[in-house]
Each structure stands twice: as structure tokens, then as C-alpha cells.
Amino acid sequence: MSIKGTDSGRRICQVIELKANSLEEYKKIHAHVWPSVLATLQRAHIVDYSIHFLPTPPYLPNGEREGVDAIAGLLIATFKYVGDNFDEDMKMVAGDADTLQWWGITDRMQNSVVDGATGSKDGPWWFDCDEVFRFEG
């Protein structure tokens, strides 16, 4: 994803699956995110970052559950990028030692829905969602 200076202030939404056995641990570590990881996000011009959890429903409309029991649900992340060079800022984040260690922990709790994804440090891990509506009243 390339965001140029004219897109400063752009909101980004991403999703990823959370493994069924990881919900409580994921919540626990995110209640105490490492200060160095948060500082790196700030240096990367990321603000207003939140992650929401959408549980997998106990039923599916077509009745199929193949593979569904392996996930707790979806993690939905939203944030605003307020810098001038998204790609460079993301390279800086990906080069931060503490962030790489954090991703090593959190990636094990997730299943990417990006085709061919192997981990946060190797390229797209979270799936980027297209914005279809916004109201700023």
C-alpha cells in the first residue's frame, strides 16, 4: 500500500483471524503493549490506533463450519496515518527490534487471510480493507 503526502490523514482498516486458543492471551498482552512498540508507532506517524474483536458466530448461514472452530474470530484494526511517506515509515517500523519481537509473539496467535503471507516482518500480514463509506459530521 503506497500512501503519498496528499493522503496524510488517511484512515486504514485491516483484518486478520485470531486463533481460537489465543483470545485471552491476545487481550492480556494488548492491555500492556510495550512502550517501545507504541513509541515506534508514534514515530511512524500512526495515530488513533484501535483493534476490535469480532467473534466467530456459533452458526453459519449455510451450516458449514469447516475450519471455523480453529479461529476465535476476526481482529479488526483501524488507524490514521498522518505522515508524508507511508512506505518509508512502515520500513522503519519493520526494522525496529522491539516491534519485530512483538510481532513474533502476536503472529503466532493469528492466521493471515492475505494469500501467501508468512508473517508481519515479511510483507502484508493483515488484510487491508477498502473503505466504502465515511461520514464526518
Side-chain angles (χ1 to χ4, degrees):
M1 170 190 330
S2 181
I3 298 176
K4 305 276 188 269
T6 56
D7 288 330
S8 183
R10 179 177 171 185
R11 285 186 280 184
I12 296 168
C13 178
Q14 301 172 316
V15 298
I16 199 162
E17 292 178 346
L18 181 66
K19 293 179 181 179
N21 61 350
S22 298
L23 178 58
E24 293 311 313
E25 182 182 1
Y26 196 84
K27 287 180 180 181
K28 182 179 175 182
I29 68 168
H30 280 81
H32 305 283
V33 177
W34 302 344
S36 58
V37 171
L38 297 176
T40 299
L41 292 175
Q42 286 180 321
R43 283 195 312 277
H45 306 102
I46 292 175
V47 299
D48 195 17
Y49 196 138
S50 63
I51 299 175
H52 300 265
F53 174 67
L54 175 65
T56 300
Y59 66 90
L60 296 175
N62 61 6
E64 292 182 24
R65 292 200 55 84
E66 185 176 331
V68 171
D69 293 323
I71 64 167
L74 295 177
L75 297 171
I76 304 163
T78 62
F79 60 90
K80 185 183 278 189
Y81 176 73
V82 295
D84 295 324
N85 191 328
F86 184 82
D87 292 336
E88 285 302 312
D89 283 335
M90 294 308 100
K91 285 179 188 175
M92 182 271 298
V93 170
D96 178 72
D98 286 348
T99 299
L100 288 170
Q101 187 177 0
W102 179 263
W103 287 347
I105 295 167
T106 59
D107 282 7
R108 290 191 303 264
M109 297 182 220
Q110 303 163 341
N111 293 319
S112 180
V113 296
V114 175
D115 190 36
T118 58
S120 292
K121 67 179 180 54
D122 299 321
W125 180 243
W126 287 64
F127 181 85
D128 290 324
C129 300
D130 291 333
E131 182 177 85
V132 294
F133 178 76
R134 181 190 310 191
F135 173 72
E136 294 182 19

